[in-house]
């Protein structure tokens, strides 16, 4: 079982314990996951970026937020958001 599926299974069990009446809305077919912080522009993804994004989609991730921390990485985040409909850019400059 992959880590994402394992977490989702745990999460659904937790929700059922906390609020049984809402348990049905947390199934994998209905739930939409958002990765709120993924630096997909990093060089380590250059060779398999498409595959990384595809695996996330297959795992149920419907949105990915790529934060820019400099002018250059903000531009890279925008480029990725323009290329992939599931990717959104957050632009900014980290304080030093």
């Amino acid at each position: 079982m992959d880590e994402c599926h394992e977490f989702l299974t745990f999460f659904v069990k937790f929700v059922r314990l906390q609020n049984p009446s809402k348990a049905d809305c947390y199934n994998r077919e209905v739930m939409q996951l958002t990765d709120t912080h993924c630096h997909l522009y990093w060089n380590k993804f250059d060779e398999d970026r498409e595959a990384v994004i595809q695996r996330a989609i297959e795992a149920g991730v419907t949105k990915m937020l790529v934060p820019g921390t400099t002018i250059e990485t903000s531009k890279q985040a925008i480029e990725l958001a323009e290329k992939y409909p599931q990717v959104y850019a957050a632009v900014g400059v980290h304080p030093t």
Side-chain angles (χ1 to χ4, degrees):
M1 182 181 313
D2 69 1
E3 193 174 313
C4 182
H5 183 64
E6 191 175 316
F7 172 76
L8 289 176
T9 303
F10 165 79
F11 180 71
V12 170
K13 287 178 184 176
F14 174 78
V15 169
R16 286 186 179 138
L17 290 173
Q18 298 300 312
N19 194 344
S21 67
K22 291 189 176 182
D24 288 339
C25 70
Y26 292 105
N27 66 54
R28 201 167 179 161
E29 289 78 35
V30 176
M31 187 175 4
Q32 294 185 7
L33 300 175
T34 300
D35 185 335
T36 61
H37 196 112
C38 52
H39 295 274
L40 294 171
Y41 52 75
W42 280 351
N43 293 339
K44 70 180 185 176
F45 296 118
D46 285 351
E47 292 184 23
D48 65 346
R49 186 173 289 109
E50 296 254 349
V52 168
I53 292 171
Q54 188 58 41
R55 283 195 305 271
I57 293 167
E58 290 169 5
V61 178
T62 59
K63 294 180 180 76
M64 294 166 244
L65 183 62
V66 179
T69 58
T70 65
I71 292 172
E72 181 59 34
T73 60
S74 291
K75 288 178 181 178
Q76 291 171 324
I78 291 168
E79 289 171 6
L80 288 168
E82 289 174 336
K83 184 173 181 180
Y84 301 99
Q86 301 85 357
V87 175
Y88 295 80
V91 299
V93 178
H94 240 281
T96 56

